[in-house]
Amino acid sequence: MQNRTDTIQKNIYYQEELYYSYRRMLTFAGLFILFSFLYYYYRQTAYNIYFLESVFWIIVLGITALIHYSFLYKYPDNFYIARKLIPMVLDISVLTIMLIRFDEHGVFLLILYILVVMRIGLTYGKAYFYISIIMAFTSWTFVFYHSHYWQEHYSFLATFAGVTFLIPFIYLDYITRIHDEKQELNHMLENVSYHANLDPLTGAYNRKSYEKVGNHLIEKQIPFALLYIDLNHFKQINDRYGHHTGDLVLKKVTHTLHTLLNEHDILARIGGDEFVILLSRKHHSVKKTVWAIEDYIIGTYKLEKYKIPISLSIGISLYPENGKSMKELSSYADQAMYHAKNSHESHHCFYDDIKSSSCALNAKEA
């Protein structure tokens, strides 16, 4: 759910990619202003056609840069490779076209190859650096075969091609070191994020994470069910069998619950023996899922040398029917859970049934 997106957005590579896209967008905006001014200033000269065509290609690249940045911002975990290759292909392709079109007036464009290759290496790492070198070589080959001017001045083109290869390779160690430092920093960031969002014992989400996801679902007005689950008589298990065995019970219950859920759901441990599930109502029947939880959790667990009886109580509140905030929904689910705990007819209770004083209506139907 939302937590995966949050993790990716904290990724140092993603932040660098987003920043590169943002700077690229601002660069084209600045070039548009500059070349528009030059076109206006030289509009009565023979150079105006070059400035006009430059403005056109800058607008094309600027629009694609805006789309690219918007896509990155909204969908941080989609099309990971394509979103890096497309700007590279666009930048070098436009340089190629302009170099052919401008002939001797396009000499200043050659230096841009160096900037593009260096920036790609520093932003995306060695793999994309090598890809950009191959793209640049392909570009120069295309220019040579499609421009009579550059065929006649191939030595000049070859010199810039050599410089474009040579300068980045001189800095290859620096690019590698920067990439390694980013990788190490990213691992540290992911480790901190992991421990900040998950319960260290069970690996389920913690209270902070589940509340964040719940608030996100409410903000997006996505219907869900909030299930409060309490293991009955868990304190007696700890007292009789020891805390180590109690921990094994919690891990086993967490694992079983995970098998009943999918990627659209969130399981969190919010207390010693208390769990919460945010259940997607689009992908589940709430009642069937509650019955499945009871069928798979309630019973006798064989852990190490002990046979341990486990039972639970579940309280359920529904968004948006029962409340418009996580505070309301949590309170109602908690109330329903205590009604279920005091009931001898069912292990679960919907908040709606409290108002009708009829938790018995939750009994399974054929």
Side-chain angles (χ1 to χ4, degrees):
M1 269 187 167
Q2 180 71 7
N3 291 75
R4 171 171 166 77
T5 299
D6 289 343
T7 300
I8 292 172
Q9 289 177 336
K10 293 175 182 176
N11 186 298
I12 193 68
Y13 292 111
Y14 170 76
Q15 292 295 331
E16 183 71 21
E17 184 182 0
L18 190 67
Y19 184 49
Y20 170 64
S21 180
Y22 177 73
R23 284 182 299 182
R24 186 168 169 267
M25 187 170 56
L26 291 183
T27 298
F28 291 134
L31 288 174
F32 171 75
I33 295 172
L34 173 63
F35 277 82
S36 296
F37 171 77
L38 291 174
Y39 169 71
Y40 178 80
Y41 188 80
Y42 290 102
R43 65 187 183 281
Q44 302 298 333
T45 69
Y47 295 106
N48 69 331
I49 186 64
Y50 298 113
F51 292 122
L52 181 61
E53 191 166 341
S54 297
V55 169
F56 169 77
W57 286 114
I58 290 169
I59 291 174
V60 170
L61 289 175
I63 292 173
T64 58
L66 177 61
I67 295 172
H68 179 251
Y69 178 81
S70 301
F71 180 85
L72 267 177
Y73 188 82
K74 190 171 184 180
Y75 305 105
D77 54 347
N78 291 70
F79 304 105
Y80 183 77
I81 296 176
R83 72 193 194 198
K84 292 179 172 62
L85 291 178
I86 290 174
M88 293 164 53
V89 172
L90 284 173
D91 289 348
I92 293 179
S93 295
V94 170
L95 279 176
T96 304
I97 294 171
M98 293 177 70
L99 202 56
I100 294 172
R101 294 278 296 162
F102 291 4
D103 289 335
E104 70 273 16
H105 302 295
V107 173
F108 72 94
L109 296 171
L110 291 171
I111 194 68
L112 296 181
Y113 281 94
I114 301 175
L115 298 178
V116 169
V117 170
M118 286 291 292
R119 190 67 257 175
I120 288 171
L122 290 171
T123 303
Y124 297 150
K126 284 195 299 184
Y128 291 95
F129 166 74
Y130 292 132
I131 292 173
S132 67
I133 288 289
I134 294 172
M135 286 184 179
F137 178 79
T138 304
S139 170
W140 291 317
T141 303
F142 189 86
V143 168
F144 179 77
Y145 282 106
H146 291 82
S147 171
H148 294 298
Y149 175 82
W150 290 113
Q151 288 176 8
E152 295 173 0
H153 299 81
Y154 69 90
S155 59
F156 196 65
L157 185 64
T159 299
F160 260 94
V163 171
T164 303
F165 283 130
L166 184 60
I167 291 179
F169 274 108
I170 291 174
Y171 286 93
L172 185 59
D173 288 341
Y174 174 73
I175 292 174
T176 301
R177 187 170 70 253
I178 292 294
H179 178 73
D180 292 341
E181 289 176 356
K182 287 181 183 176
Q183 194 170 35
E184 182 180 355
L185 181 60
N186 193 58
H187 287 326
M188 293 173 59
L189 188 62
E190 288 178 347
N191 189 48
V192 171
S193 178
Y194 177 87
H195 290 291
N197 292 319
L198 301 183
D199 171 54
L201 176 63
T202 63
Y205 287 104
N206 57 25
R207 181 185 293 273
K208 178 182 176 182
S209 296
Y210 111 80
E211 289 180 345
K212 186 175 183 179
V213 174
N215 288 325
H216 172 75
L217 294 175
I218 291 173
E219 180 183 342
K220 298 296 183 181
Q221 298 184 345
I222 300 174
F224 65 92
L226 194 156
L227 280 60
Y228 253 47
I229 301 174
D230 183 79
L231 300 182
N232 298 330
H233 312 299
F234 185 73
K235 183 177 184 301
Q236 288 89 322
I237 293 174
N238 274 333
D239 293 342
R240 181 173 180 181
Y241 302 104
H243 288 276
H244 172 69
T245 303
D247 290 346
L248 294 179
V249 170
L250 293 173
K251 291 178 182 179
K252 179 66 176 177
V253 169
T254 301
H255 174 75
T256 304
L257 289 173
H258 271 305
T259 63
L260 301 174
L261 306 176
N262 61 35
E263 62 181 4
H264 303 284
D265 309 315
I266 287 291
L267 170 64
R269 178 179 174 230
I270 60 172
D273 59 350
E274 293 181 334
F275 295 86
V276 171
I277 295 175
L278 297 180
L279 193 68
S280 167
R281 295 171 65 184
K282 180 179 179 181
H283 299 87
H284 293 284
S285 164
V286 177
K287 282 191 175 182
K288 287 183 179 179
T289 302
V290 170
W291 293 339
I293 290 173
E294 292 177 355
D295 288 341
Y296 280 88
I297 297 295
I298 297 174
T300 301
Y301 285 54
K302 187 174 182 180
L303 297 171
E304 296 183 329
K305 60 183 179 180
Y306 304 115
K307 290 184 179 181
I308 304 173
I310 299 295
S311 67
L312 48 70
S313 300
I314 308 174
I316 307 106
S317 61
L318 303 176
Y319 172 79
E321 294 92 329
N322 299 144
K324 305 297 184 182
S325 70
M326 283 300 294
K327 183 177 180 180
E328 284 183 309
L329 294 167
S330 298
S331 175
Y332 296 154
D334 191 45
Q335 292 176 42
M337 184 268 292
Y338 278 105
H339 272 74
K341 189 179 285 288
N342 294 325
S343 171
H344 300 291
E345 298 174 350
S346 176
H347 289 282
H348 67 270
C349 180
F350 284 80
Y351 177 70
D352 285 338
D353 294 325
I354 295 178
K355 292 180 288 187
S356 63
S357 299
S358 184
C359 287
L361 293 177
N362 290 318
K364 293 185 182 179
E365 300 174 1

